[in-house]
Amino acid sequence: MTLTVKKSVHYESNTPAHGSILAGVPVNVVIDFNFDLGPGSSISIKTADKEYGTGGTTIDSNKLAMRRNMDPSAPDGFYTINYKACWHDGSCHDGYFQFIIDRTKAETYTDLRNKTEVTVRLSGIAFKPQNIRISRGTKVTWVNEDDVDNYVNTDAHTSHTYYPPQNSKALRKGDIFSLNLDNC
């Protein structure tokens, strides 16, 4: 299986990243651009010719990112994301990227499901534990134990558009950042 990508004009980044092998279904697919998106912009999320995008494509208020929710019951498989990014004058550019969902990858994660609160430490410029499984509604608290500032962010720098509530301010040593993950 070969993963292929076609980046449109003005493309910046996407989450999930092209070529990712995910341990579960992402909440949504987000694509970032360096121009204001307009009407007609769209995202399709497919595997085996079946659509797993839910609801319509939405454009963020800053007009630089578009997103579409993904069906949480989507099966394991090889997904192709086709997108059309349109300007306000009606001209559009298309592109695509791919990722894989393989739930067997979650077997190596620290299982913290069925807990109401969990703590993740930022130590040695790393999350500890790094890969966790939690239940929907779990409160996650990140604690910075490093002597340098750290951040909790949801995706590639600089966009951080995947799940904005999870983007912290700079955390100095001893600072904490907490979030109840109801939507994940």
Side-chain angles (χ1 to χ4, degrees):
M1 178 177 345
T2 302
L3 298 174
T4 60
V5 64
K6 175 186 175 189
K7 297 176 183 177
S8 71
V9 175
H10 301 288
Y11 162 92
E12 289 283 318
S13 65
N14 54 268
T15 305
H18 171 70
S20 295
I21 300 175
L22 307 175
V25 177
V27 174
N28 57 33
V29 170
V30 181
I31 308 169
D32 301 293
F33 297 89
N34 63 9
F35 75 95
D36 287 354
L37 292 160
S41 298
S42 63
I43 299 173
S44 172
I45 307 167
K46 288 186 175 183
T47 189
D49 292 325
K50 183 171 181 196
E51 180 65 45
Y52 284 96
T54 60
T57 300
T58 59
I59 297 173
D60 287 5
S61 61
N62 67 7
K63 299 191 182 341
L64 297 175
M66 63 177 169
R67 66 185 64 237
R68 187 162 183 206
N69 290 338
M70 190 164 175
D71 182 344
S73 65
D76 285 5
F78 180 87
Y79 285 81
T80 298
I81 312 309
N82 286 293
Y83 63 88
K84 182 168 65 169
C86 299
W87 292 79
H88 285 278
D89 68 3
S91 62
C92 301
H93 304 280
D94 65 332
Y96 61 87
F97 61 94
Q98 299 170 316
F99 62 83
I100 295 169
I101 296 174
D102 179 359
R103 286 178 178 82
T104 65
K105 298 288 183 191
E107 294 169 6
T108 63
Y109 285 30
T110 302
D111 192 348
L112 299 175
R113 290 177 292 178
N114 301 316
K115 296 183 183 288
T116 56
E117 295 185 28
V118 301
T119 299
V120 176
R121 303 193 181 292
L122 289 83
S123 178
I125 314 295
F127 296 113
K128 294 180 181 175
Q130 186 170 11
N131 295 314
I132 63 173
R133 295 176 76 184
I134 61 170
S135 301
R136 184 180 306 268
T138 300
K139 179 181 178 181
V140 179
T141 300
W142 291 266
V143 179
N144 184 15
E145 296 178 344
D146 283 333
D147 290 327
V148 298
D149 291 358
N150 280 308
Y151 297 82
V152 175
N153 295 116
T154 58
D155 60 340
H157 188 67
T158 62
S159 61
H160 306 305
T161 55
Y162 180 69
Y163 188 65
Q166 191 176 331
N167 298 328
S168 74
K169 63 176 180 53
L171 301 175
R172 292 191 165 89
K173 185 172 186 170
D175 286 352
I176 65 169
F177 175 70
S178 295
L179 181 66
N180 191 332
L181 293 168
D182 293 320
N183 298 322
C184 299

